[in-house]
Amino acid sequence: MTTNKKIYFASDQHFGAPTVEESKIREQKFVNWLDFIKKDAEVLFLLGDLFDFWFEYKEAVPKGFVRVLGKLAELRDRGIQIHFFVGNHDLWMDDYFEKELIIPVYHEPKEFILNNKSFFIGHGDGLGPEDKGYKRMKKVFTNPVSKWFFRWLHPDIGIKIAHYLSVKNKLISGEEDVKFLGEDNEWLVQYSKMKLTEKHRDYFVFGHRHLPLEIAISETSKYINTGDWIVHFTYGEFDGKEFILKKYKE
């Protein structure tokens, strides 16, 4: 890391939901945060569900999000590295970010060494011992045949259906996402502990839960959840020595 520079983490913005009007208020707040961090950011990790729905057709992407995408492009042009992990709402992301914004996109958790600290980073959906129903559903959604069939729906129809189902099923912030379930019932905590038996990591950083969490899983390892930009407006900040969860206040 460069002296005085920092690494930032954020997840679960779900832009586009529950309505365009309400989303724009949160989008502007997030853009303001990106402006706030650009003065000292060296790397930005976006941990998934930036959009409530995203699908890349051959010649089109979903309408909207111009300010967010433009601000990410500005940060990249300033030399700030950005890494994007797909979530369960934007899992159909392909190569648009890589080609247009030069932002690498990851579909699985990945390890990074940052200032001699080891980080295991991902969105967090489908990990851990449970969530079996979602794991089966994810296999269907990520199947190339499913994507091929969906691509034949006109975007006006496909995006409207997907948005309706997302909000209808309260996938943005259901009750299970706003309550701490205890270490034994937090799947990502259990997953992190399991991965720790395979190899030491200083930090396990995930999104998906919509709940800012910081839990010591050993004397030298921590599980971090970055929260969301719907209720909490929280983010992670690593200065090369210490990882801190913070709440953005304009």
Side-chain angles (χ1 to χ4, degrees):
M1 290 179 60
T2 307
T3 304
N4 298 324
K5 292 290 186 177
K6 297 177 180 178
I7 297 173
Y8 291 94
F9 304 77
S11 70
D12 295 276
Q13 292 81 12
H14 288 266
F15 293 139
T19 65
V20 172
E21 291 73 19
E22 292 178 72
S23 175
K24 282 185 177 179
I25 297 172
R26 297 188 296 104
E27 287 177 50
Q28 187 59 58
K29 190 167 185 175
F30 185 68
V31 166
N32 293 345
W33 177 73
L34 292 175
D35 261 331
F36 170 73
I37 69 170
K38 71 183 182 183
K39 65 183 184 299
D40 62 7
E42 184 164 334
V43 186
L44 169 62
F45 287 93
L46 297 174
L47 306 186
D49 288 353
L50 180 65
F51 310 110
D52 195 59
F53 171 76
W54 182 269
F55 187 89
E56 295 178 20
Y57 296 87
K58 187 175 180 180
E59 300 294 341
V61 295
K63 179 181 178 181
F65 319 117
V66 174
R67 290 171 180 80
V68 172
L69 295 174
K71 186 57 64 175
L72 291 177
E74 178 189 335
L75 265 60
R76 284 297 295 120
D77 290 345
R78 291 171 66 98
I80 297 171
Q81 297 180 47
I82 302 176
H83 300 272
F84 189 91
F85 288 82
V86 303
N88 49 304
H89 281 250
D90 43 28
L91 54 79
W92 278 343
M93 186 168 284
D94 196 4
D95 60 2
Y96 180 79
F97 267 39
E98 294 177 340
K99 289 182 176 180
E100 295 293 327
L101 303 173
I102 319 177
I103 294 175
V105 173
Y106 309 104
H107 292 262
E108 299 291 340
K110 183 176 175 62
E111 184 171 349
F112 292 82
I113 303 299
L114 307 171
N115 208 44
N116 296 319
K117 295 289 186 179
S118 54
F119 285 74
F120 193 76
I121 301 170
H123 179 63
D125 60 308
L127 303 179
E130 299 296 335
D131 215 3
K132 295 178 181 178
Y134 171 72
K135 290 175 182 177
R136 290 192 293 268
M137 181 178 68
K138 185 175 181 178
K139 287 183 178 180
V140 174
F141 285 164
T142 55
N143 186 289
V145 176
S146 299
K147 293 171 67 175
W148 184 85
F149 276 113
F150 189 87
R151 184 171 280 113
W152 279 98
L153 287 175
H154 190 283
D156 289 350
I157 298 173
I159 293 174
K160 182 173 289 188
I161 292 173
H163 178 74
Y164 170 80
L165 292 175
S166 173
V167 176
K168 181 72 173 178
N169 290 302
K170 299 182 180 179
L171 293 179
I172 305 173
S173 54
E175 291 183 2
E176 71 278 5
D177 289 329
V178 296
K179 296 179 182 178
F180 178 58
L181 304 176
E183 283 191 37
D184 292 340
N185 296 312
E186 288 285 345
W187 301 337
L188 285 173
V189 173
Q190 297 306 310
Y191 176 79
S192 298
K193 288 181 177 179
M194 182 271 291
K195 297 297 289 185
L196 191 60
T197 64
E198 302 172 359
K199 181 181 179 181
H200 173 77
R201 278 95 171 189
D202 295 290
Y203 297 100
F204 294 84
V205 188
F206 297 102
H208 187 55
R209 281 288 283 111
H210 291 226
L211 189 64
L213 295 170
E214 184 175 357
I215 298 172
I217 56 176
S218 79
E219 291 184 357
T220 56
S221 296
K222 284 186 178 181
Y223 159 76
I224 306 286
N225 198 286
T226 51
D228 69 12
W229 282 75
I230 300 168
V231 175
H232 300 287
F233 301 96
T234 48
Y235 62 94
E237 177 186 295
F238 179 63
D239 64 1
K241 297 180 180 179
E242 186 179 8
F243 191 110
I244 302 174
L245 277 178
K246 293 186 174 182
K247 184 179 180 71
Y248 178 60
K249 297 180 180 179
E250 296 183 271

